Amino acid sequence: TTALGLAPMALGLGDGAEIRTPMAIAVISGLVASTVLTLLVIPVIYDLVDRLQTKLGTAPHAAENPREAQAPEDLERETPHDAPGPHGYPLDPETA
C-alpha cells in the first residue's frame, strides 16, 4: 500500500515533482526488493538448506526414530500424565 501511495509522486505529478520523483522511485524499489526477498528468496534458500541437511543426514528430522532426534535433556523432561498442567490442574490423559 505504501508503494501505491508513492505512485503519484514517482510519476512526477504536481509541483516540484522533479525533486521528489527519485526518492519515491528509490523507496518503491526498496519495498519491492524487500518483499521479494522475504516472500520468495529466503524461503527457497531455507528449503534448499533443509533438503541438503536431510540428504546428508545431518538434519534433526533425518533420524529414523523421531525420539532419537530429540535432545537427551528433552527426553528426561517428559511430563507424566498425573503431573499438574500449566494452570496447576492435572493433565487429562485423554486430551494430553
Side-chain angles (χ1 to χ4, degrees):
T1 58
T2 304
L4 293 176
L6 290 171
M9 190 185 304
L11 294 174
L13 304 176
D15 294 333
E18 61 273 356
I19 295 173
R20 294 188 309 256
T21 300
M23 177 62 76
I25 292 172
V27 171
I28 291 172
S29 301
L31 289 170
V32 169
S34 65
T35 301
V36 168
L37 283 172
T38 302
L39 296 178
L40 297 175
V41 176
I42 299 299
V44 168
I45 290 173
Y46 181 83
D47 187 54
L48 290 174
V49 169
D50 186 53
R51 287 181 188 199
L52 181 64
Q53 283 182 336
T54 304
K55 188 174 184 178
L56 296 176
T58 59
H61 61 274
E64 289 183 23
N65 183 358
R67 292 180 60 84
E68 292 175 4
Q70 295 177 347
E73 60 271 4
D74 291 340
L75 294 174
E76 294 171 6
R77 286 187 281 167
E78 287 186 10
T79 307
H81 290 291
D82 58 348
H87 300 291
Y89 301 110
L91 292 175
D92 184 12
E94 295 175 6
T95 60

